[in-house]
Each structure stands twice: as structure tokens, then as C-alpha cells.
Amino acid sequence: MRLAGLFAALLALAGCGLQPMYAGGSSAGVAQGLAAIDVPAIPGRAGWLVRNALVDRFGAAGEAAPAYRLDVRLDDSLQALGVLNDDTISRERRILRARYQLVDLASGEILLDATDGFDSGIDVVSSEYATIAAEQTALEDLAREIADRMTTRIALSLRSQAEGAAGQ
């Protein structure tokens, strides 16, 4: 009985039209599209971290001639959350927001205009060094999260454009 239920579920899943985004590995259309994205320098330490993470993710399929440009603007901020009786801060929140546009180099058309953001809580301790290290670690983690989210959204956009072009 369980085997029949499992078979029915697999059959239904196969018929729904879902398919892996990176089917075909590095030669897949989405992977090739990601490899063809140029990421100009982004100002600041957060920009350097995000750009490096994006270049790592986009370059997984190898090198390709740039067909797209990704313009990114970041907003990195620290906010005090917990304030003790003696007016010292006990907790901070690091917020990293990204506004980005994927531009087709051939036509100048903006293919994707999106915003993503993440935040991270940081305990402020008596050691200033430990607090600074925690702030930097939070920034590194947030940069990876932002790059992952951006890569996914851009890949989905490239995939839907490829499907739209194939359907016409």
C-alpha cells in the first residue's frame, strides 16, 4: 500500500512540470547566463564581500563573455537594541540591504530590479575586540546571505526569460 502511494506521489510530481534549475550542469542555460554577468566594483567593505561572493557563485559555470551587468547599491548599518541602566549598549543589530538591477548590455534594458536584505543580532560584550570581531563576522555572514538570495532571484529571472523566448 505504501509503495503504491509513493509511486502515485512520484508520478504526480513528474507531471507537474517541475524541473531542476541547473539541469545540465555548467552547460545549462541558467548557468551560462550567470557566467555572463559582469559585477562592477561595489563601494565599501560590505561591497567587496558581496561582490566576491557573487563572482564566486556566477563563475561556477566557467568564464563567458559579459552579456549582462549587475548594478548593486548596498546599505550597511548598525543599530543599538539593548540599552542597560548605565546607558551602555548590550545588543546591536547589523542590517545589510541591497538594491540591484540586472541590465542587458546589448539593449540597455533592465531585466530585473529588486531589493533584498538581511539582519543579524550581535551581543556587545566588555571586550571591544570581541565586539568588533562579532560585527565583522556578522557582515561576512550577511554578505553571503545577500549573494545567495541575489543569485537565486537572478537565476529565476534568466530562466523565465529563456522560457519566454523559447515560447515565442
Side-chain angles (χ1 to χ4, degrees):
M1 186 67 172
R2 282 187 177 173
L3 187 59
L6 179 63
F7 181 71
L10 289 174
L11 188 60
L13 183 60
C16 74
L18 287 177
Q19 54 182 301
M21 187 178 312
Y22 295 105
S26 63
S27 62
V30 170
Q32 292 298 312
L34 290 174
I37 297 175
D38 176 44
V39 184
I42 306 168
R45 178 164 168 67
W48 181 79
L49 290 167
V50 170
R51 183 184 183 279
N52 284 346
L54 287 169
V55 168
D56 287 346
R57 283 152 182 78
F58 294 165
E63 296 283 324
Y68 309 101
R69 182 184 73 241
L70 183 64
D71 295 326
V72 181
R73 289 183 302 280
L74 294 177
D75 179 28
D76 176 27
S77 63
L78 276 169
Q79 291 180 345
L81 290 180
V83 180
L84 301 176
N85 290 337
D86 60 354
D87 289 334
T88 58
I89 298 169
S90 65
R91 189 131 173 94
E92 294 177 332
R93 179 170 63 177
R94 182 155 219 157
I95 303 167
L96 185 62
R97 303 279 182 250
R99 167 100 191 269
Y100 52 99
Q101 295 178 328
L102 183 65
V103 179
D104 186 334
L105 292 176
S107 66
E109 177 185 2
I110 296 174
L111 304 175
L112 175 66
D113 187 358
T115 304
D116 278 314
F118 289 96
D119 60 81
S120 179
I122 302 165
D123 288 327
V124 177
V125 294
S126 60
S127 168
E128 188 174 334
Y129 174 78
T131 301
I132 291 170
E135 290 171 356
Q136 293 303 318
T137 301
L139 179 60
E140 292 166 7
D141 293 342
L142 292 172
R144 282 191 297 274
E145 289 291 332
I146 289 278
D148 286 341
R149 176 74 59 92
M150 290 170 67
T151 302
T152 301
R153 288 182 81 172
I154 291 167
L156 288 170
S157 176
L158 292 173
R159 180 178 173 189
S160 67
Q161 288 174 0
E163 288 173 355
Q168 291 180 356

